[in-house]
Amino acid sequence: MTYHAGDYDVIVVGAGHAGCEAALAAAKMGAKTLMLTLNLDMIAYMPCNPSIGGPAKGIVVREIDALGGAMGKVIDQSYIQMRMLNTRKGPAVRALRAQADKQVYPKKMKYMLENEPNITLKQAMVNELIVEDGVCKGVITETNAAYYAKAVVITTGTYMRGKVLIGELEYESGPNNQRVAKRLPEQLEELGFELVRFKTGTPPRVNSRTIDYSKTEIQPGDDEPLSFSYETTEYVTDQIPCWLTYTTKESHEIIDENLHLSSMYSGMMKGTGPRYCPSIEDKIVRFHDKPRHQIFLEPEGRETEEVYVQGLSTSLPENIQVELLRSIPGLENAEMMRPGYAIEYDAIEPTQLKPSLETKLIEGLFTAGQINGTSGYEEAAGQGLMAGINAALKVQGKEPFILDRSQAYIGVLIDDLVTKGTREPYRLLTSRAEYRLLLRHDNADLRLTELGYELGLISEERYAKFKQKVKMIEEEKKRLYKTIVKPSDEVQQKLEEIGSSPLKEAIRAYDLLKRPEMTYAHVEEIIGSSDLPRDVKEQVEIQIKYEGYIKKANEQVERMRKMEDKKIPENIDYDAITGLASEAKEKLKKIQPISIGQASRISGVNPSDISILLVYIEQGKVKRTS
């Protein structure tokens, strides 16, 4: 028999990176939030790579912070190394990456959750959802505690029917030998949800004291103070380096000879793995012509000797893993502390979700993170933030908060999932964003802080500082526009030193900065320096230099926005629309797009189908299904 254990506004099931953001967002928006997790000691755990950020992913973390989320703040307090990637390329692909202290990051996040007044944190296994008349009303734990809420967010990661595989060994387990959820996925299937089987994996961990670092290449952090959060003011100064080595011909031979013993190639594994984060077995099979592959040796923290062997994810038998490790320069005498393994788990087919991340089948039920078919802590956290926001808005009786593809990488991520689905663990890439010049690392606050403030996730103090930054950027752009640079001998000499062509006539400082070889610092040398913060100067330079490209991108956005603004009535009967292709009808009924723009991105829906759909809606002949 169950007992009534409590009433809440929002219940979050799971305390990984998605769950943490979901609970914090809902709570800060005023929702009385219950957070249930299998193990309080595993909150915000990093079962795979102990790092945050990287291409596209780092921009997501900045977006989370700009909206008022937690990940950026926590990694800024717990990193052992931070680097800005792609600095030689344009601003659209620059991104931060931080190596986390695997022990400190979870502690900082747990402390933040414990000290949020609106969050109640409990250790419990959720066995069942309470569903009445198609509405989720709460959850029941394995101890028969019934908790009721107006919205439930499931963020179970890789724990639904998880199975670990190492060679021929397989056993039920989540990451790090944790318990798995078995009854919950069964109930989801009973409720009509389509589940898919995915897999991911990790490499071995080795003891740092047994590594010969003299045979590897040092990879230090950046000297310049860097941060993910716009609120960070203190920086780590004693960074710890990572190290680079490579696989060898011998490594590849070991893998080739033992491929049949790998769980992934022996037929034991049924799940689909991530294309963009392949195992070492996959790399050798798919890229057989490559003589070597990069291996990064990444410390897992300041107070541990464990080193993560990035690039060597594998499910080979343990003895073969040892042999493989010792074929790599620097690891000839390495002692393996934990073997690599593959893990299979259940995920929800994400086209069963609305853009708000509420499920289409069950009202009041939201899902976020790896349960939605994604890979990566950052993708999970971005979804968790959005699910938490929308769960709170649902409770408040307000319209959902949806980011479109031109506003944020988070918008690209969610739109891809709910519109196109995924056949493998989804990883966010810069190439997935058609407006990536607008979705930069440097301008996440300019894109999203206003929205975070309106949601109640940004404090008055932070908002005032943000408005001051916006004002300084605009005033400096105006100053540069009004400042005339004359072709004096001094100016011409300075231009020659920079490698820029001499002036033929007077020019605005604004236009001088547009020259490819000119930087804001160069312009300052010519017209005098300004006492402005570094991030303001950076923003001024980028906005002026890329003005033409940004204008074109914004014009494209406006054209697409007209499509997004054309809403499709709920419960439209696609079968009643004559002229629609059969495949288009099938896909439109499955995805249930909310706008013409979303409908146009569905695979199998052609431009001619969109034209027919537009005419049908504009003629006012909309028929609704009963």
Side-chain angles (χ1 to χ4, degrees):
M1 290 287 291
T2 61
Y3 72 96
H4 193 130
D7 296 287
Y8 297 85
D9 294 319
V10 174
I11 294 173
V12 177
V13 180
H17 303 282
C20 292
E21 296 290 351
L24 286 164
K28 286 181 180 178
M29 290 173 67
K32 184 183 176 186
T33 304
L34 172 65
M35 190 175 196
L36 299 172
T37 175
L38 283 169
N39 188 341
L40 286 171
D41 296 325
M42 296 290 288
I43 289 173
Y45 183 67
M46 295 179 162
C48 199
N49 192 354
S51 72
I52 296 290
K57 293 167 174 277
I59 301 175
V60 168
V61 182
R62 291 279 275 186
E63 292 174 350
I64 290 168
D65 184 75
L67 285 166
M71 180 174 265
K73 295 180 182 65
V74 177
I75 186 60
D76 284 354
Q77 296 171 28
S78 58
Y79 70 89
I80 60 175
Q81 184 195 100
M82 192 174 290
R83 300 175 72 185
M84 179 67 78
L85 307 180
N86 299 326
T87 53
R88 295 180 183 178
K89 298 180 180 178
V93 292
R94 290 175 200 155
L96 269 183
R97 183 181 185 274
Q99 198 66 27
D101 189 311
K102 193 171 183 173
Q103 296 169 339
V104 176
Y105 184 94
K107 286 180 182 177
K108 295 283 187 183
M109 185 66 82
K110 184 170 184 262
Y111 187 76
M112 187 180 286
L113 291 163
E114 289 172 337
N115 286 275
E116 173 54 49
N118 276 337
I119 292 178
T120 299
L121 192 56
K122 290 181 182 287
Q123 182 167 292
M125 163 77 81
V126 172
N127 269 3
E128 196 174 328
L129 301 172
I130 301 170
V131 179
E132 298 173 7
D133 300 321
V135 180
C136 190
K137 299 291 184 71
V139 302
I140 300 172
T141 71
E142 66 179 349
T143 57
N144 293 320
Y147 296 98
Y148 291 85
K150 298 162 189 170
V152 173
V153 185
I154 303 178
T155 66
T156 49
T158 60
Y159 287 85
M160 289 208 306
R161 291 192 290 221
K163 183 192 291 185
V164 164
L165 299 102
I166 305 171
E168 295 180 350
L169 171 68
E170 63 173 87
Y171 56 93
E172 285 185 350
S173 177
N176 202 33
N177 293 318
Q178 294 299 299
R179 297 176 65 201
V180 298
K182 294 199 285 188
R183 173 62 194 130
L184 187 58
E186 289 171 0
Q187 187 195 16
L188 289 172
E189 287 178 323
E190 290 164 7
L191 289 168
F193 285 98
E194 179 189 346
L195 301 185
V196 292
R197 195 77 171 154
F198 281 166
K199 76 170 179 68
T200 186
T202 71
R205 273 71 157 180
V206 299
N207 191 313
S208 178
R209 292 184 290 107
T210 63
I211 297 172
D212 182 354
Y213 289 107
S214 68
K215 296 182 179 179
T216 66
E217 302 169 32
I218 192 168
Q219 304 284 298
D222 288 352
D223 293 329
E224 183 182 1
L226 299 167
S227 66
F228 279 101
S229 175
Y230 288 92
E231 294 187 281
T232 295
T233 56
E234 296 181 7
Y235 304 89
V236 173
T237 54
D238 56 334
Q239 298 189 59
I240 298 174
C242 296
W243 306 83
L244 172 64
T245 184
Y246 296 89
T247 57
T248 61
K249 182 182 178 183
E250 183 188 352
S251 311
H252 298 198
E253 288 172 353
I254 291 168
I255 293 168
D256 279 334
E257 290 167 7
N258 295 282
L259 201 57
H260 62 288
L261 299 176
S262 166
S263 303
M264 286 174 283
Y265 285 89
S266 66
M268 288 174 64
M269 188 168 289
K270 308 302 179 191
T272 306
R275 179 184 312 184
Y276 300 104
C277 189
S279 66
I280 190 65
E281 295 98 302
D282 274 339
K283 288 179 189 175
I284 300 307
V285 170
R286 285 161 52 186
F287 309 107
H288 211 275
D289 56 323
K290 290 195 73 171
R292 63 179 191 171
H293 295 276
Q294 288 184 328
I295 301 294
F296 289 94
L297 305 176
E298 301 175 339
E300 295 214 326
R302 295 183 185 278
E303 296 184 8
T304 177
E305 293 296 335
E306 282 193 74
V307 172
Y308 185 90
V309 188
Q310 165 78 330
L312 209 71
S313 178
T314 181
S315 65
L316 284 163
E318 186 173 310
N319 62 313
I320 306 300
Q321 291 190 35
V322 173
E323 189 181 351
L324 177 59
L325 280 169
R326 293 179 176 174
S327 69
I328 295 169
L331 302 181
E332 293 89 348
N333 298 302
E335 285 296 334
M336 186 168 73
M337 298 176 73
R338 305 186 201 219
Y341 62 86
I343 185 168
E344 276 192 331
Y345 58 95
D346 286 340
I348 283 180
E349 165 52 56
T351 55
Q352 297 167 105
L353 305 173
K354 299 176 183 178
S356 63
L357 296 180
E358 184 179 17
T359 66
K360 296 172 184 174
L361 277 172
I362 305 295
E363 185 181 349
L365 178 64
F366 296 78
T367 60
Q370 281 187 275
I371 189 177
N372 288 345
T374 57
S375 67
Y377 310 139
E378 304 84 358
E379 289 92 336
Q383 292 173 72
L385 177 67
M386 297 300 287
I389 289 169
N390 283 314
L393 291 172
K394 180 89 177 177
V395 170
Q396 295 164 3
K398 296 177 180 177
E399 288 296 306
F401 174 66
I402 297 167
L403 292 170
D404 68 37
R405 300 180 71 89
S406 67
Q407 289 177 293
Y409 269 98
I410 295 172
V412 173
L413 162 67
I414 293 175
D415 183 67
D416 277 353
L417 290 173
V418 304
T419 304
K420 302 172 185 175
T422 183
R423 295 180 180 178
E424 62 193 29
Y426 176 101
R427 181 179 182 178
L428 202 52
L429 307 165
T430 51
S431 59
R432 296 191 193 273
E434 54 270 63
Y435 309 117
R436 55 185 172 273
L437 182 57
L438 303 179
L439 310 181
R440 305 186 309 273
H441 161 91
D442 61 86
N443 71 349
D445 58 338
L446 302 181
R447 291 184 276 123
L448 301 171
T449 297
E450 190 87 39
L451 298 174
Y453 176 71
E454 291 169 4
L455 289 164
L457 296 174
I458 298 292
S459 69
E460 291 290 344
E461 182 185 2
R462 178 174 176 180
Y463 186 62
K465 289 180 180 177
F466 165 71
K467 295 298 285 184
Q468 179 62 23
K469 176 181 175 180
V470 173
K471 183 181 178 183
M472 285 191 287
I473 292 167
E474 292 309 311
E475 286 180 349
E476 180 63 1
K477 285 166 65 178
K478 287 177 185 175
R479 183 179 83 91
L480 294 180
Y481 191 80
K482 290 178 182 176
T483 302
I484 304 300
V485 179
K486 296 178 180 178
S488 66
D489 291 343
E490 186 181 352
V491 167
Q492 301 290 41
Q493 183 181 346
K494 179 60 67 175
L495 290 174
E496 185 179 351
E497 289 172 5
I498 294 167
S500 190
S501 57
L503 296 182
K504 294 179 181 177
E505 56 188 8
I507 187 173
R508 297 181 192 274
Y510 190 99
D511 294 320
L512 185 62
L513 182 52
K514 286 186 176 182
R515 291 186 174 189
E517 67 280 0
M518 295 295 292
T519 66
Y520 181 92
H522 291 145
V523 173
E524 277 190 306
E525 290 175 18
I526 292 170
I527 68 170
S529 61
S530 61
D531 187 24
L532 290 172
R534 185 183 60 181
D535 60 339
V536 171
K537 294 179 180 181
E538 177 189 43
Q539 200 53 234
V540 168
E541 179 173 336
I542 290 172
Q543 287 188 21
I544 292 175
K545 273 192 174 298
Y546 294 90
E547 183 179 43
Y549 297 104
I550 290 170
K551 183 181 177 183
K552 285 182 181 178
N554 280 321
E555 288 169 357
Q556 290 177 330
V557 168
E558 283 308 307
R559 286 195 292 272
M560 178 51 73
R561 191 153 284 155
K562 290 175 183 175
M563 299 275 277
E564 301 296 338
D565 289 342
K566 288 188 170 73
K567 300 302 179 185
I568 298 174
E570 287 185 27
N571 302 320
I572 184 173
D573 185 0
Y574 290 107
D575 288 324
I577 306 176
T578 55
L580 270 185
S582 298
E583 184 183 4
K585 286 182 181 180
E586 179 187 332
K587 294 291 181 67
L588 289 165
K589 284 191 285 187
K590 179 182 178 182
I591 305 299
Q592 299 172 37
I594 61 173
S595 69
I596 293 296
Q598 187 187 359
S600 70
R601 293 189 292 275
I602 298 172
S603 175
V605 177
N606 298 316
S608 58
D609 299 313
I610 295 297
S611 298
I612 292 165
L613 181 57
L614 267 171
V615 170
Y616 184 79
I617 292 171
E618 288 171 356
Q619 287 178 345
K621 295 180 180 179
V622 176
K623 293 181 181 179
R624 297 173 182 270
T625 56
S626 56

